[in-house]
């Protein structure tokens, strides 16, 4: 383990990044070129294309918040989503991903969007409303009607499946 | 072969028979089941029963796997194994075979076939003893298996569903697997997530329903009344039909139409078809959670089938007594004939050494073998059950689906959405079908050993058939719920059925005397005499003494008393454990609430301090820490939640503060005169300053609705 593995993985990641758009990405990064790959390329990667939250993932990890990722963003994304990232780091990024309106709180509308993405709009409005209310009931500790980062972390840290599902292997 | 080896062999055969009988209950893969079945059956056939060459060979069609030469005497050698002369001409007729008469009746399938010699063949296999022991042992083994399964299920969280603290939150944030990279897998995952949410929603809705209790109770009472009257009606109908069939039995067979001959089975199947949907419709008045409604439905259908079965048994019993009567008559006539023969012979040839009459086996006078009669009835019942099930699936699911699909184009209303639409998989009907099938096997196996093999065949084929039917013709339930959580309930039903089917068999073993010319116990007073004989003759003397001591009532009564006391004690211990469990859960809950409140206070205090710092021009105004009384919190009680959420500033006492809180004065919004210090210990009497404007930020929470 250790260095050799990490370097090998970083090289792998760079290759994957470059494979997305060989004409845009130079082989030589010593001059830190300012290259951003548009979201469409990122979203079509096989690891992400079936994920209902791929757009949010790209937006959260990209510098400009639009989903256009530099190599650093790319590396960041896969390192947080890898097995070796610490739980709290993952939890904070998960929070950002599910916070659709970027207001540092997961409010009811964020929950509704999450749920509709998860069930592909199969649930009725009443059911969606009920589920979102239940989630806020369960997890909202400071009683402001929305989930702050602490609420979210408190809840997610106890979840048995979190680490195994919030994981992408490349 | 030595005694030990004989006993070992006998035990092995018993073992194999038990395995066959309870193969259904084992949680094994199909391949393993088939292999074990094949082994066990080969073994059993090798050492029990006989099938020779010639006419008997046609019966191969009814056997599953039969490869080796069997131990007993072949067909046609002794009277009980042969078809009587008068029946021989019709013995191979299809209709007679269908009724399980003819060759079928005189085969190893039924009790009457087995010879009553104490030991048979080269290995001196004790057929009668083993027959009895296996028959009784099947029940014991099944009992053990069922109870063990129930105990295992109880350990794994049991019945009724678990409560998680963050069920919905975890479902929402941790159910999607980010490793999914395949569109099909993604589709499946979406479907399973949706189903899982719907299940939890249904469970939650049940908890939240507010109801008009009186109306609901009235409706439930009404529904129960209707259903009880249905059950009573069906019971009376069966009784009536059975009485009629007894009259028919006295008339000659050829005058009866097919309908009249099979009236009992027909009526029972009809009731089994009509009543369950009727019960379901009536049960919609009751408006229960689907899982609970399923249990009620099962209970009711169970009562229905029970009534049917016991009426059937009583009818059988009448038949048995009639046969016993006629047997006495035949016995007398046989003895008379034999006496005649002996006296004629000795007077004709003038000797006293009279050889036994040289009569072809098929011409011997035969008694009516009531055990075989009973066996035949059971087999007929099972076969008609099979036919009804297959037909129901074919018509009720397949034909219905075909009609709905194809007639929909030219029908006035939408067949798929309205009546009749596609069928849903009927959980209760199928579960009960299985349980009752098993019950009938338990009852009938003693009198018709071939029934077990027949049933295994039926189970195999029915499984594949129903699998196809479900995939092809059924749609999922509208209200999704986890049926597999009630496993112990089904096991409990199975246990009940086991006991109920044990009763008739044990009763007949104990009270009725076996027929004198058929079966392994013929000639004895009672069937269990075999055991007595074995104990007296073959086992050492002291064991006989032991048994006679053990069956002394003076010993049995205290033993029963002791068991009752042990039961009571264990019950008390288990209740104590349950109580300890709930106490621990409460403690955990309290610890969680304390943590929550501590967190609340930290947040609120930080927030409040920050607000104040913003307001105050000079930050150095923050005084050294002082005693602070938190403002009395408004307790917001959630519907159905476990503990009230405390507003910020609540004391760290957690749940205990509820009482104090409700008595405290409402929160006065006084202007801030002093910055609150950090929290320190329980509130004193001094009322601290109320945080004013800072409170407004999102914490005055929206009113819950």
């Amino acid at each position: 383990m250790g260095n050799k593995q990490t370097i090998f993985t970083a090289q792998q990641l760079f290759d994957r990044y470059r494979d997305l758009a060989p004409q845009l990405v130079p082989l030589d990064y010593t001059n830190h070129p300012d290259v951003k790959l548009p979201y469409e390329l990122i979203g079509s990667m096989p690891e992400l294309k079936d994920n209902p939250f791929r757009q949010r993932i790209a937006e959260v990890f990209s510098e400009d918040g639009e989903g256009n990722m530099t190599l650093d963003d790319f590396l960041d994304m896969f390192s947080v989503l890898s097995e070796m990232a610490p739980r709290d780091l993952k939890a904070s990024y998960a929070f950002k991903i599910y916070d659709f309106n970027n207001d540092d709180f997961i409010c009811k509308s964020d929950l509704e969007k999450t749920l509709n993405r998860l069930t592909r709009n199969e649930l009725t409005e009443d059911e969606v409303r009920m589920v979102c209310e239940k989630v806020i009931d369960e997890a909202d500790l400071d009683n402001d009607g929305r989930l702050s980062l602490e609420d979210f972390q408190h809840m997610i840290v106890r979840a048995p499946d979190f680490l195994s599902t919030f994981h992408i292997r490349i | 072969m030595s005694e030990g080896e004989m006993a070992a062999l006998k035990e092995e055969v018993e073992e194999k028979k038990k395995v066959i009988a309870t193969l259904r209950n084992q949680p094994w893969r199909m391949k393993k089941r088939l292999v074990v079945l094949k082994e066990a059956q080969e073994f059993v056939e090798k050492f029990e029963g006989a099938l020779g060459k010639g006419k008997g060979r046609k019966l191969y069609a009814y056997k599953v796997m039969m490869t080796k030469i069997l131990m007993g005497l072949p067909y046609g050698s002794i009277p009980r194994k042969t078809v009587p002369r008068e029946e021989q001409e019709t013995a191979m007729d299809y209709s007679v075979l269908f009724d399980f008469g003819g060759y079928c009746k005189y085969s190893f399938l039924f009790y009457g076939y087995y010879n009553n010699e104490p030991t048979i063949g080269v290995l001196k296999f004790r057929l009668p003893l083993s027959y009895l022991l296996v028959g009784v042992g099947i029940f014991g083994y099944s009992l053990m298996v069922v109870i063990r399964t129930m105990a295992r299920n109880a350990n794994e969280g049991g019945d009724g569903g678990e409560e998680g603290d963050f069920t919905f939150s975890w479902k929402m944030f941790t159910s999607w697997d980010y490793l999914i990279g395949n569109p099909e897998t993604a589709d499946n995952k979406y479907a399973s997530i949706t189903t899982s949410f719907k299940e939890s929603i249904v469970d939650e809705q049940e908890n939240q329903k507010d109801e008009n209790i009186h109306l609901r109770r009235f409706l439930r009472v009404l529904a129960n009344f209707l259903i009880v009257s249905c059950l009573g009606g069906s019971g009376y109908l069966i009784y009536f039909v059975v009485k009629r069939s007894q009259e028919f039995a006295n008339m000659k067979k050829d005058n009866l139409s097919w309908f009249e001959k099979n009236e009992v089975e027909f009526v029972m199947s009809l009731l089994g078809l009509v009543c369950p949907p009727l019960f379901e419709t009536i049960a919609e008045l009751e408006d229960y959670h689907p899982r609970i409604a399923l249990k009620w439905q099962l209970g009711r259908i169970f009562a229905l089938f029970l009534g049917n079965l016991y009426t059937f048994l009583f009818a059988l019993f009448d038949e048995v007594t009639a046969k016993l009567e006629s047997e006495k008559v035949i016995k007398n006539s046989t003895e008379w004939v034999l006496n005649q023969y002996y006296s004629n012979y000795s007077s004709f040839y003038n000797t006293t050494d009279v050889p036994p009459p040289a009569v072809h086996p098929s011409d011997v006078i035969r008694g009516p073998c009531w055990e075989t009669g009973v066996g035949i009835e059971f087999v007929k019942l099972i076969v008609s059950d099979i036919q009804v099930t297959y037909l129901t699936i074919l018509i009720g699911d397949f034909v219905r689906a075909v009609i709905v699909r194809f007639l929909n184009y030219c029908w006035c209303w939408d067949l798929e959405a309205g009546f009749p639409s596609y069928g849903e998989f009927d959980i209760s009907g199928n579960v009960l079908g299985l349980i009752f099938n098993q019950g009938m096997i338990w009852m009938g196996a003693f009198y018709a050993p071939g029934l077990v093999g027949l049933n295994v065949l039926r189970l195999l084929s029915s499984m594949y058939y129903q699998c196809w039917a479900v995939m092809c013709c059924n749609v999922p339930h509208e209200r999704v719920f986890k049926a597999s959580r009630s496993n112990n309930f089904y096991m409990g039903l199975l246990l009940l059925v086991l006991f109920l089917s044990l009763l008739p068999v044990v009763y007949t073993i104990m009270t009725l005397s076996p027929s004198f010319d058929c079966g392994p116990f013929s000639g004895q007073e009672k069937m269990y005499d075999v055991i007595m004989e074995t104990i007296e003759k073959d086992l050492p003397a002291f064991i006989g003494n032991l048994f006679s001591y053990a069956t002394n009532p003076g010993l049995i009564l205290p033993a029963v008393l002791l068991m009752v006391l042990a039961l009571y004690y264990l019950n008390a211990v288990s209740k104590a454990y349950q109580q300890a469990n709930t106490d621990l859960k409460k403690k955990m809950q309290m610890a969680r609430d304390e943590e929550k409140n501590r967190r609340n206070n930290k947040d609120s205090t930080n927030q409040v301090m920050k607000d104040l710092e913003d307001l105050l021009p000079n930050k150095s105004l923050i005084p050294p820490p002082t005693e602070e009384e938190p403002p009395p919190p408004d307790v917001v009680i959630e519907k159905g939640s476990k503990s009230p959420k405390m507003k910020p500033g609540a004391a760290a006492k957690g749940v205990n503060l509820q009482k104090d809180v409700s008595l405290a004065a409402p929160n006065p919004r006084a202007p801030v005169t002093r910055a609150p210090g950090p929290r320190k210990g329980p509130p004193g009497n001094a009322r601290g300053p109320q945080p004013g404007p800072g409170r407004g930020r999102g914490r005055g929470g929206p009113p819950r609705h």
Side-chain angles (χ1 to χ4, degrees):
Chain A
M1 290 283 260
N3 258 349
K4 200 160 185 192
Q5 181 84 331
T6 324
I7 290 177
F8 176 69
T9 319
Q11 181 64 35
Q12 241 188 338
L13 283 172
F14 176 69
D15 287 336
R16 288 300 303 274
Y17 186 72
R18 190 156 184 278
D19 285 338
L20 292 175
Q23 68 280 21
L24 291 177
V25 179
L27 273 169
D28 184 6
Y29 251 74
T30 40
N31 300 328
H32 303 289
D34 181 21
V35 176
K36 265 197 209 167
L37 292 185
Y39 164 69
E40 289 71 29
L41 290 175
I42 308 283
S44 61
M45 286 179 71
E47 287 86 352
L48 287 178
K49 70 173 166 43
D50 293 305
N51 194 320
F53 302 110
R54 58 187 177 280
Q55 180 148 18
R56 282 301 301 161
I57 296 175
E59 284 170 12
V60 161
F61 285 101
S62 63
E63 254 180 64
D64 58 4
E66 303 282 317
N68 307 312
M69 299 179 84
T70 65
L71 178 63
D72 283 339
D73 300 334
F74 191 81
L75 290 175
D76 209 10
M77 173 167 77
F78 280 103
S79 99
V80 167
L81 288 168
S82 76
E83 284 172 313
M84 294 179 281
R87 184 202 291 262
D88 286 337
L89 185 66
K90 285 198 180 204
S92 75
Y93 273 97
F95 180 78
K96 289 195 195 139
I97 288 176
Y98 295 121
D99 179 12
F100 282 75
N101 46 15
N102 288 320
D103 61 352
D104 291 333
F105 287 99
I106 295 184
C107 61
K108 228 176 189 187
S109 67
D110 295 330
L111 290 172
E112 281 173 15
K113 287 206 195 80
T114 311
L115 189 58
N116 280 325
R117 298 255 178 128
L118 275 176
T119 59
R120 285 202 287 207
N121 298 313
E122 294 258 336
L123 297 179
T124 68
E125 272 197 41
D126 277 340
E127 290 171 337
V128 169
R129 197 172 23 92
M130 202 193 97
V131 171
C132 296
E133 277 174 15
K134 271 301 284 184
V135 172
I136 296 200
D137 273 353
E138 289 172 353
D140 184 20
L141 299 174
D142 48 14
N143 276 332
D144 53 359
R146 51 196 180 163
L147 304 183
S148 65
L149 180 59
E150 286 84 29
D151 299 335
F152 185 80
Q153 273 187 323
H154 180 251
M155 175 268 292
I156 212 79
V157 134
R158 282 167 179 64
D161 298 328
F162 176 60
L163 285 177
S164 56
T165 54
F166 196 70
H167 167 215
I168 297 187
R169 197 183 304 133
I170 191 169
Chain B
M1 238 206 189
S2 70
E3 285 276 333
E5 287 176 54
M6 263 197 290
L9 187 66
K10 178 182 58 182
E11 266 184 51
E12 273 189 63
V13 174
E14 284 169 27
E15 187 65 57
K16 297 288 181 188
K17 268 198 161 184
K18 285 171 212 162
V19 163
I20 297 179
T22 56
L23 202 52
R24 173 73 190 80
N25 289 337
Q26 303 283 14
W28 294 342
R29 297 205 65 89
M30 187 40 83
K31 194 162 175 199
K32 186 171 179 196
R33 261 188 242 241
L34 284 175
V35 167
V36 169
L37 174 67
K38 184 169 181 164
E39 267 177 39
Q41 285 203 323
E42 278 182 15
F43 195 87
V44 168
E45 303 317 333
K46 182 169 161 192
F47 295 109
E48 224 194 54
L51 194 68
K53 305 174 179 126
K55 303 174 195 156
R57 213 177 264 277
K58 297 229 175 25
L59 294 167
Y60 268 52
Y62 291 97
K63 267 193 105 174
V64 181
M65 285 160 244
M66 160 61 190
T67 50
K68 315 236 159 89
I69 298 179
L70 305 168
M71 292 293 311
L73 296 169
Y75 172 83
S77 57
I78 58 174
R80 66 188 57 185
K81 302 197 183 206
T82 340
V83 181
R85 184 75 68 183
E86 56 188 17
E87 295 186 21
Q88 261 185 6
E89 6 182 89
T90 58
M92 271 310 280
D93 282 356
Y94 200 55
S95 63
V96 171
L97 271 183
F98 233 40
D99 262 347
F100 294 100
Y103 277 114
C104 226
K105 186 167 169 188
Y106 298 100
S107 78
F108 64 90
L109 278 183
F110 293 107
Y111 172 100
Y113 183 79
Y114 296 99
N115 199 1
N116 75 327
E117 276 174 49
T119 62
I120 57 174
V122 170
L123 294 172
K124 296 229 183 326
F125 179 62
R126 292 175 199 276
L127 185 60
L129 182 65
S130 86
Y131 194 97
L132 185 66
L133 288 181
V134 166
V136 174
I138 283 182
F139 288 109
Y141 183 71
S142 312
L143 189 63
M144 251 183 19
V145 167
V146 172
I147 292 198
R148 218 166 11 156
T149 320
M150 283 181 80
R152 215 183 311 135
N153 282 345
N155 280 343
E156 292 168 6
D159 205 18
E162 314 112 31
E163 295 164 10
D165 228 22
F166 294 112
T167 321
F168 282 93
S169 315
W170 288 346
K171 276 205 168 109
M172 185 171 294
F173 295 117
T174 64
S175 54
W176 181 264
D177 187 0
Y178 280 55
L179 277 172
I180 291 179
N182 173 347
E184 266 179 36
T185 320
D187 283 339
N188 288 343
K189 193 67 177 169
Y190 284 122
S192 92
I193 292 181
T194 312
T195 312
S196 160
F197 268 112
K198 285 197 176 155
E199 277 171 15
S200 304
I201 288 174
V202 165
D203 280 343
E204 185 61 29
Q205 274 171 346
E206 288 303 315
N207 291 342
Q208 278 189 3
K209 256 197 293 205
D210 44 64
E211 48 204 56
N212 181 354
I213 291 203
H214 298 291
L215 180 66
R216 174 172 290 205
R217 276 198 198 141
F218 169 71
L219 284 176
R220 285 184 183 169
V221 165
L222 179 67
N224 278 319
F225 173 74
L226 284 173
I227 288 180
V228 163
S229 50
C230 277
L231 285 173
S234 80
Y236 179 70
L237 183 62
I238 297 221
Y239 173 74
F240 175 72
V241 165
V242 158
K243 268 246 148 18
R244 274 211 339 170
S245 79
Q246 282 174 345
E247 290 163 29
F248 287 153
N250 295 337
M251 294 164 38
K252 199 142 169 32
K253 289 263 158 134
D254 300 329
N255 294 344
L256 303 172
S257 67
W258 174 88
F259 178 71
E260 280 163 341
K261 268 193 250 185
N262 291 323
E263 210 178 31
V264 178
E265 283 86 14
F266 182 73
V267 165
M268 277 176 70
S269 309
L270 195 69
L271 279 177
L273 269 180
V274 163
C275 287
L278 183 66
F279 289 164
E280 254 185 77
T281 334
I282 297 182
E284 280 180 25
L285 280 176
E286 295 180 328
D287 199 18
Y288 278 123
H289 183 287
R291 211 180 300 132
I292 300 186
L294 183 64
K295 286 190 191 169
W296 274 98
Q297 176 75 354
L298 280 176
R300 287 171 184 148
I301 302 184
F302 186 77
L304 176 74
F305 278 139
L306 216 56
N308 294 356
L309 205 62
Y310 265 78
T311 322
F312 171 76
L313 282 177
F314 280 125
L316 262 186
F317 198 70
D318 284 343
E319 203 184 303
V320 165
T321 34
K323 282 217 168 112
L324 277 174
E325 293 292 329
S326 80
E327 190 184 64
K328 277 200 205 110
V329 169
I330 293 187
K331 203 172 181 178
N332 287 340
S333 78
T334 317
E335 278 179 20
W336 193 85
V337 163
L338 216 57
N339 279 338
Q340 286 276 307
Y341 170 77
Y342 279 134
S343 58
N344 282 348
Y345 197 90
S346 48
S347 68
F348 193 71
Y349 285 108
N350 237 343
T351 61
T352 41
D353 186 15
V354 182
V359 182
H360 190 272
S362 54
D363 288 325
V364 171
I365 304 177
R366 308 285 300 283
C369 193
W370 65 265
E371 293 100 340
T372 304
V374 168
I376 290 184
E377 285 301 313
F378 272 109
V379 173
K380 279 208 286 199
L381 191 64
I382 298 239
V383 167
S384 82
D385 184 40
I386 295 177
Q387 288 168 340
V388 167
T389 315
Y390 281 29
L391 271 179
T392 322
I393 294 180
L394 194 64
I395 297 183
D397 280 341
F398 183 65
V399 171
R400 172 175 169 182
V402 161
I403 288 180
V404 167
R405 172 66 65 88
F406 292 116
L407 274 189
N408 209 10
Y409 297 124
C410 48
W411 204 260
C412 23
W413 73 86
D414 186 358
L415 285 173
E416 283 184 7
F419 180 82
S421 78
Y422 298 107
E424 293 177 347
F425 180 70
D426 179 16
I427 296 182
S428 58
N430 281 299
V431 166
L432 273 181
L434 277 175
I435 292 183
F436 272 104
N437 185 36
Q438 189 63 39
M440 284 192 272
I441 299 297
W442 273 323
M443 264 195 272
F446 191 74
Y447 297 111
L451 194 56
V452 174
L454 185 70
N455 200 46
V456 170
L457 256 188
R458 170 254 168 96
L459 284 176
L460 281 178
S461 62
S462 140
M463 185 186 77
Y464 287 112
Y465 179 56
Q466 285 196 297
C467 209
W468 164 80
V470 162
M471 298 304 249
C472 162
C473 323
N474 282 354
V475 291
H477 284 223
E478 266 183 47
R479 289 183 91 187
V480 178
F481 64 96
K482 246 191 171 137
S484 58
R485 270 200 207 147
S486 335
N487 266 342
N488 252 2
F489 176 70
Y490 302 135
M491 280 291 150
L493 270 185
L494 191 64
L495 196 64
L496 188 62
V497 165
L498 174 58
F499 275 125
L500 291 174
S501 51
L502 184 67
L503 289 177
V505 177
V506 169
Y507 177 74
T508 48
I509 292 182
M510 291 299 170
T511 48
L512 292 179
S513 51
S515 317
F516 73 91
D517 69 340
C518 73
F521 307 114
S522 55
Q524 282 158 350
E525 276 295 311
K526 290 268 158 44
M527 295 190 193
Y528 57 81
D529 283 343
V530 154
I531 301 187
M532 309 298 214
E533 263 182 53
T534 325
I535 295 179
E536 282 169 16
K537 293 192 195 152
D538 298 325
L539 297 176
F542 76 89
I543 293 194
N545 287 342
L546 204 66
F547 269 109
S548 60
Y549 291 149
T551 51
N552 186 356
L555 197 62
I556 290 190
L557 279 179
V560 168
L561 200 62
L562 198 65
M563 280 195 276
V564 168
L565 286 176
L567 211 70
Y568 179 72
Y569 170 72
L570 287 172
N571 193 26
V573 164
S574 117
K575 281 218 175 68
Y577 282 146
Q578 272 177 358
Q579 186 62 31
N581 257 349
T582 31
D583 285 344
L584 280 173
K585 276 198 192 139
K586 265 196 228 149
K587 262 199 206 162
M588 273 170 52
Q589 185 60 38
M590 271 169 48
R592 261 197 286 264
D593 290 338
E594 270 188 47
E595 163 110 15
K596 244 191 234 183
N597 289 321
R598 219 172 351 110
R599 195 178 286 266
N600 276 345
N601 296 331
K602 226 191 318 178
D603 285 352
S604 75
T605 317
N606 289 340
Q607 194 58 43
V608 162
M609 280 195 62
K610 262 198 256 158
D611 294 342
L612 286 167
E613 282 179 30
D614 293 338
L615 286 174
L616 297 171
N618 188 357
K619 294 223 163 92
S620 64
L621 270 179
I622 302 172
T626 53
E627 188 88 55
E628 180 216 25
E629 147 84 67
D634 300 337
V635 178
V636 178
I637 310 253
E638 300 302 325
K639 225 194 292 186
S641 75
K642 303 169 201 125
S643 70
K645 292 223 162 55
M646 300 295 191
K647 285 276 186 167
K653 276 214 188 107
V655 183
N656 291 338
L657 198 58
Q658 283 175 50
K659 293 213 181 84
D660 304 3
V661 159
S662 53
L663 296 171
N667 179 20
R669 293 186 177 264
V672 176
T673 50
R674 205 179 63 195
R679 287 205 32 69
K680 211 167 51 174
N685 280 335
R687 289 190 143 260
Q690 317 306 328
R695 274 196 106 205
R697 187 178 313 195
R699 222 159 304 113
R704 293 269 185 265
H705 53 273

